[in-house]
């Protein structure tokens, strides 16, 4: 099992559309921030450092699947619970549950959205150019993420 | 089979992140525009008109699944091919293929991303409040979308 | 003199462009959030309440002038200091100073950006339609904002 | 006098806020695209080429002043007229007029927004690091932009 981190944000007026609810691409903006925040909170160094030592330049997204359960609107406080649900050979599944603070609800919150992403650890193909390749998760990064 | 529409855009500098590639939430911004554009191109009236006549206020998203196949960057021209892949009882699957113009590639383009969305036709639960319910696709809207 | 509020945010990877610095339209996103946050922190009720009691539906922007002094990048913590610099007849000047936490700098921060906005208090022209008109700041809202 | 270019876009649903009008930071998104498009249309090579030959890495923004005259909403077609209003020593003023197509209006359009930006031509301070300095507009770039 991996650690679980929480990334907190408040929905702003400008995040909402004419239906007065969060315009859905903004959820992916926040999830991308929560993804990076997970590694930061786990103690993984910034990618420019891992590049120098391990060749890892980041964790690009290859597949995402999201379910929208309830709508949210401005003023709502959202907490994104993030963890690694599965380590695969050269990829991993990062899982998000977006909860809204709600003192009236059972458990103190509402489930707004769930998302499973497949990401890879990426290294450069060669020292020039922008081509990348997937590599096996370095054991030391994996150790930092595991609970 | 439904009609297929094409929504065209050019990737701008500000759509890209420090890795110099499109920051992925922007793909969902464009796909949302392509979704609405599909209905406009099919001749479906604006939602404020369908609300008055049919009670339909829009097509909110309940589930999305995207695969990222190649990266894109600024200057690229993308064409989003959009259709209804399946009509279900009270929902439908809207399917997107994002292609990049590339005269060098076989077929003249590269496949950048694919996405399947489940959306519903939504009506208000009552005349006050914001609660909505899914309704069966009105035959006249479906007829406009079908090829 | 008005009160001064502080709105805090962390710059995310996706807020930055291929030059690895904040893509400038994002500063206006944060400033818009800081504008609304100022009124919330001052105790002004949400606009849907002020509309019922005072006819005020919000504070639309009519003019903005920003100076970009230093660049910011992801990981930076920014604090937007916000106040009303001037009350005019039917408009007001909202002033922002965007500072970055920097323990090495004199005063503990760097000045990143400054912005002066002219906004109005808006009321509807009539009960139907979307036309608006500027109105004099209601004394009770002004009293809440003043120090 | 410089050339004048036109950058055209259609406002999308997701560009609008709960007031059903364009959320203003989006205007700066489009203006930034129009700025780069101006140089592209004038025949200035991409910045990675000018960097190799002239040391110019781009035209960062140092000051922007915008006036919002009318609101716009989704479905509107906007055309951003762009030119260089003034060449200064190490900076220049890029001027934008955002017009909306409107067959009913005098001249066929409405004036939505005006913006004056001060930008610089930037070169790197040294071969390492991210520090930049303003340089005088290279005569060959200026010649391409002038009418």
């Amino acid at each position: 099992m991996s650690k679980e981190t929480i990334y907190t944000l408040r929905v702003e007026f400008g995040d909402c559309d004419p239906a007065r609810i969060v315009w859905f691409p903004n959820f992916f903006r926040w999830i991308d921030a929560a993804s990076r925040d997970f590694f930061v909170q786990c103690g993984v160094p910034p990618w420019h450092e891992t590049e120098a030592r391990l060749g890892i330049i980041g964790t690009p997204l290859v597949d995402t699947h999201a379910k929208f359960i309830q709508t949210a609107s401005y003023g709502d406080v959202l907490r994104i619970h993030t963890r690694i649900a599965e380590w695969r050979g050269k990829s991993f599944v990062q899982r998000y549950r977006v909860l809204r603070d709600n003192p009236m609800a059972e458990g103190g919150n509402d489930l707004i959205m769930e998302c499973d992403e497949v990401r890879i650890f990426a290294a450069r193909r060669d020292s020039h150019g922008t081509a990348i390749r997937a590599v096996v998760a370095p054991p030391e990064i994996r150790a930092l993420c595991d609970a």
Side-chain angles (χ1 to χ4, degrees), chain A:
Chain A
M1 282 291 291
S2 87
K3 288 169 185 155
E4 182 174 279
T5 60
I6 299 179
Y7 179 86
T8 302
L9 66 106
R10 189 175 71 182
V11 179
E12 299 293 353
F13 180 83
D15 298 325
C16 299
D17 65 22
R20 307 186 73 82
I21 59 177
V22 172
W23 186 50
F24 82 86
N26 286 315
F27 282 111
F28 291 103
R29 173 158 68 83
W30 298 323
I31 277 176
D32 193 55
S35 173
R36 207 181 77 92
D37 180 66
F38 171 85
F39 292 106
V40 170
Q41 284 200 44
C42 287
V44 176
W47 303 130
H48 60 86
E49 285 186 31
T50 58
E51 181 173 9
R53 284 194 27 250
L54 301 164
I56 301 294
I57 61 170
T59 57
L61 179 64
V62 295
D63 185 296
T64 187
H65 188 177
K67 292 175 193 299
F68 299 88
I69 293 132
Q70 286 192 54
T71 60
S73 191
Y74 56 101
D76 287 350
V77 172
L78 304 183
R79 297 186 199 274
I80 306 183
H81 293 242
T82 304
R83 60 192 179 87
I84 307 288
E86 188 185 342
W87 295 103
R88 298 176 176 174
K90 293 186 174 176
S91 67
F92 61 96
V93 178
Q94 200 164 13
R95 179 164 294 164
Y96 310 87
R97 299 183 79 239
V98 181
L99 302 174
R100 172 176 53 203
D101 288 4
N102 179 359
M104 302 304 188
E106 204 184 315
N109 52 54
D110 302 312
L111 178 59
I112 299 300
M113 182 218 192
E114 290 178 316
C115 183
D116 265 22
E117 289 180 338
V118 181
R119 289 179 178 254
I120 57 168
F121 282 99
R124 296 194 193 283
R125 269 197 190 285
D126 49 52
S127 57
H128 344 285
T130 61
I132 60 170
R133 62 195 170 87
V135 295
V136 173
E140 66 189 90
I141 289 186
R142 198 168 148 170
L144 287 166
C145 298
D146 281 339

